[in-house]
Amino acid sequence: MSWTTPADIRAQARRLWESGRLPAALVTGEELFPRRLVLKKPGSGELAEQFARVRGWIDTLRKGEADGYRIRWREFNHRVLGVNSLPDEIWIDSTDDALRLIGQRTAAARLRELADQARTRRPELLAWLARRPLRALELAPDWPRLLDIVDWLAAHPRPAIYMRQLDLPGVHTKFIEAHRGALAEMLELVLPAEAVDCEASGIGGFCRRYGFRDRPLRVRFRLLDPALAVFPGGGEQDITVNQDVFAALRLSVRRVFITENEINYLALPPVSAGMVIFGGGYGFEMLSGADWLHDCAVHYWGDIDTHGFAILDQLRARLPHAHSFLMDRETLLEHRALWGEESRPEKRDLHRLTQPETALYDDLREDHLAPRLRLEQEKISFDWVRQTLSGLGLIG
């Protein structure tokens, strides 16, 4: 039997809540009711053939009226059954009836409280509440503290302090970090344009976007030429500095390698006027400001897989002259016995690759050589690394 039941009626009302439309109306004051719902009812043939079942269906619907909906009846004259009344339409007459029907009166009262607080303190946030009412309910216990943060930043735009230094009751670094997504959406509605750094985006860019001090980015590098030693006494020159110090370096470096594998980073042999940087996958913000890199030959050594080429493509957005190192077809075919599989290959077009790189990337993303083919950089034999460096005239 496909006739509408009280459970179906509640489900229709519940969809209004779960879609956010009903809770949003509690914030905006939009009138959604009275509202007619979908009613699937018996046809003429079913009335004659299943009249006892129809009467049971009618009784069930009638009992459900107490939960918050109203039945509109229609009399019909059946040639066999005579004159009878049948449910013709189902209506929810008011917001309160809908909330009672789906058991959300308490949540609705809480949402109205949040809206009243915003209306009093930050009317700009009513737009956010209307757009994200269900998210607002999840954040209800933290709502006053979120308003405190928004108020404080509106009064102190771009404060140039660490979040740890924000002295508000119940607010600490972990609280802000846990709520960065919601806070960012709210701050966009409250702060003036000049208080927002539009070049910083995403969760990782929260501090820079709104003017907090962020943990300094760090760069780890090795000097491959003993003659360039920064510290006295010789020995391994494996150094980690913050981004600003790295940008200000004034060393006689002419050739820079960037690799994603720590053992490769540590094992790269001496190279005259050379340096190797331990990369961090996607993102090269740590190299921002190091303009001296543009005067060096730069070699990127990543995995031979689609993501390796995507990272190379991203690096070239910052250092267009960067070369790939050991990411060629000859190296791949030489190490066929060590091929593996990439879990989630990249498929998008990459526009900063050379023609040979593009051809190999296309073969990888289209599975021309093997399904989801990957050769990890640490599996390349070290003799092959030495031969390649020797071929470039970098080692004897």
Side-chain angles (χ1 to χ4, degrees):
M1 183 176 68
S2 60
W3 310 329
T4 297
T5 67
D8 297 328
I9 294 169
R10 279 190 293 273
Q12 291 184 60
R14 194 174 296 112
R15 283 194 290 272
L16 283 173
W17 180 270
E18 292 172 352
S19 69
R21 187 170 180 192
L22 175 51
L26 299 175
V27 177
T28 64
E30 179 188 2
E31 288 293 343
L32 300 180
F33 305 95
R35 189 178 191 86
R36 180 181 173 181
L37 303 184
V38 174
L39 175 65
K40 297 179 181 179
K41 52 195 174 184
S44 178
E46 291 173 310
L47 289 174
E49 297 169 5
Q50 305 180 52
F51 189 66
R53 182 173 291 179
V54 170
R55 284 196 303 182
W57 172 72
I58 292 173
D59 289 342
T60 300
L61 277 187
R62 184 181 283 117
K63 290 175 183 176
E65 276 192 289
D67 294 334
Y69 61 83
R70 174 174 58 86
I71 301 173
R72 182 173 176 181
W73 300 86
R74 175 178 64 87
E75 284 194 351
F76 76 100
N77 190 0
H78 194 276
R79 60 184 179 82
V80 175
L81 303 172
V83 178
N84 288 273
S85 292
L86 267 183
D88 189 49
E89 296 175 353
I90 298 292
W91 288 81
I92 297 178
D93 289 327
S94 69
T95 298
D96 190 62
D97 286 338
L99 295 172
R100 177 159 51 93
L101 182 62
I102 60 177
Q104 293 290 0
R105 294 170 106 178
T106 300
R110 189 73 181 105
L111 184 57
R112 288 185 174 115
E113 289 176 11
L114 301 183
D116 287 344
Q117 292 173 27
R119 195 172 287 110
T120 300
R121 294 180 56 178
R122 280 289 158 192
E124 308 99 312
L125 296 184
L126 289 171
W128 183 85
L129 281 169
R131 188 170 70 247
R132 303 290 302 277
L134 298 179
R135 177 60 176 147
L137 281 171
E138 293 174 0
L139 295 172
D142 300 319
W143 186 245
R145 286 182 288 174
L146 293 172
L147 290 179
D148 288 343
I149 295 169
V150 172
D151 280 344
W152 191 90
L153 273 171
H156 306 86
R158 306 203 67 76
I161 63 172
Y162 289 108
M163 291 190 296
R164 173 70 177 84
Q165 297 172 275
L166 186 58
D167 195 12
L168 292 171
V171 173
H172 47 77
T173 303
K174 289 185 178 179
F175 178 85
I176 299 175
E177 289 177 345
H179 295 87
R180 281 177 297 183
L183 279 169
E185 293 173 351
M186 295 178 199
L187 292 170
E188 297 297 307
L189 297 171
V190 172
L191 296 180
E194 60 270 19
V196 179
D197 181 353
C198 294
E199 293 186 3
S201 60
I203 295 299
F206 181 89
C207 286
R208 186 157 69 92
R209 188 171 182 87
Y210 301 112
F212 286 104
R213 295 184 68 183
D214 207 351
R215 293 186 182 93
L217 295 174
R218 300 188 180 278
V219 185
R220 182 182 175 189
F221 65 93
R222 284 180 60 232
L223 294 169
L224 301 176
D225 187 341
L228 300 181
V230 174
F231 301 108
E236 182 66 40
Q237 298 285 303
D238 185 353
I239 303 167
T240 300
V241 297
N242 68 36
Q243 175 187 1
D244 292 339
V245 171
F246 185 78
L249 286 178
R250 294 295 178 264
L251 300 172
S252 299
V253 172
R254 296 195 303 273
R255 192 173 300 274
V256 175
F257 296 85
I258 302 173
T259 182
E260 305 296 328
N261 179 267
E262 186 173 23
I263 298 303
N264 286 342
Y265 162 82
L266 293 171
L268 207 63
V271 172
S272 176
M275 168 193 287
V276 58
I277 297 172
F278 185 37
Y282 285 101
F284 291 95
E285 187 65 25
M286 62 184 182
L287 303 181
S288 178
D291 294 336
W292 54 269
L293 288 172
H294 292 275
D295 298 324
C296 300
V298 176
H299 304 270
Y300 175 73
W301 183 8
D303 297 328
I304 303 181
D305 62 9
T306 61
H307 285 281
F309 282 110
I311 296 171
L312 172 63
D313 181 82
Q314 188 180 70
L315 174 63
R316 283 193 178 133
R318 190 174 297 277
L319 297 170
H321 66 295
H323 301 278
S324 59
F325 179 69
L326 296 174
M327 296 176 69
D328 54 87
R329 190 178 299 272
E330 184 182 5
T331 298
L332 178 65
L333 296 177
E334 177 68 20
H335 296 80
R336 182 185 294 270
L338 301 173
W339 288 359
E341 284 195 2
E342 191 174 17
S343 58
R344 294 183 179 179
E346 183 64 76
K347 296 295 184 182
R348 61 189 169 93
D349 291 339
L350 303 177
H351 303 290
R352 301 185 187 95
L353 302 183
T354 65
Q355 191 281 325
E357 291 164 353
T358 297
L360 182 52
Y361 172 70
D362 287 343
D363 282 347
L364 293 172
R365 66 172 171 164
E366 295 168 11
D367 293 339
H368 288 167
L369 298 171
R372 300 189 299 179
L373 174 57
R374 180 188 194 198
L375 175 61
E376 296 174 89
Q377 57 190 280
E378 59 265 35
K379 293 183 178 179
I380 297 173
S381 74
F382 214 72
D383 281 344
W384 189 267
V385 175
R386 288 182 178 278
Q387 290 174 27
T388 303
L389 289 171
S390 179
L392 293 173
L394 301 180
I395 60 175

